[in-house]
Amino acid sequence: MEKKNIDKFLGTGALTIVEAMQKIDLNAEGILFIVGTDNKLIGVVTDGDIRRAIIRTGDLNLQISEIMNRNPRVVLQEERGKAPSLLKQYRIHAVAVIDVTERIIDIIFDSGNRIEISKNRQNTLQRIPVVIMAGGRGTRLYPYTKILPKALIPIGDIPIVEHIMDRFRSVGVNHFYLTVNHKKNMIKSYLGEQNDDRIIFVEEDKPLGTAGSLRLIRDRMNSPFFVTNCDILIQADYDDIYEYHLKAGNAVTIVSSLKNIEVPYGVIQFKENGNVLSLEEKPQLSYFINTGLYVLNPECIDRIPENTFFHMTDLVERLLQEDQKIGMYPISEESFLDMGEWEELQRMEQKLKQTLD
């Protein structure tokens, strides 16, 4: 690997969690090797390490040096032939090749290892249903949605709803509920051609929001299940999301994406009498936002009023007022694709094309 490529996988311990997430997004391998001021390897951090730290501390300014693994798996340059067995033995995705001064001279990845792990977990969600909220009008994409329902808007060659189902199918999910209202006959006609009795349509007589229609299938849910909007794609480990929900004992788990916003002006910090303390040029703000993908315990449906327009955010607020546990599962900014607006739709198409290429 050339040095310019290695640099994508290197960071310093002074990086904050947000900065490390951004760098991991850019290298697209889910890992960052941490080096000291002398460029010697001192640790490694993965996207999973970062996610667990965010859940545990809630501190986006936490430095990577506080959460990194200080004993990364490495091989010496003259023993690089041992790397494949090391990757397999420890079920890791990457190993650093170092010289006698402990500086990284190469990184060896094993994409096959990830594939093997994925296959071992392929059917873990086989019995878990997914509810896809496909009844909305998609007003943000008008006039596109004047012709097509939001769920059938194509991303590449196939509609967004098929992309969503394909991602869940890849981890064994084979049971889907689609709540439909606006242009529902088009959705039913298109998906009905698949002759798949594991796709069940839940018809709303009137718009019920992103949670109201769950009342219509209350008696069919006896274990935690996924709920997703029909205009998003989440590039994450669904099995890990579900496992986290169960272990955390949450009533609802909200999959949350990092969102970085740059203020396009110089921001003034000041005190009384208008005295300026500092001027910060184009500062960046970081937040975790609601992606529209949830894991929900079935008893939560009882808190949704019948035959009433009710959003998932209304349900979460009600559960919080009852002191029920609501958790968040953080993902990176690049892992959340939203087609709700034209620019985001184009970004989704480009991202999927890169994945296929």
Side-chain angles (χ1 to χ4, degrees), residues 324-342:
Q324 297 208 41
K325 189 176 180 182
I326 310 297
M328 60 91 80
Y329 183 96
I331 62 174
S332 70
E333 189 167 17
E334 290 298 313
S335 298
F336 171 48
L337 302 176
D338 174 23
M339 74 168 195
E341 297 178 355
W342 286 109

Side-chain angles (χ1 to χ4, degrees), residues 162-181:
E162 281 197 86
H163 281 290
I164 293 171
M165 289 192 292
D166 285 346
R167 299 223 165 180
F168 278 104
R169 284 172 176 147
S170 71
V171 291
V173 172
N174 57 19
H175 205 132
F176 298 92
Y177 293 88
L178 267 76
T179 66
V180 294
N181 178 263

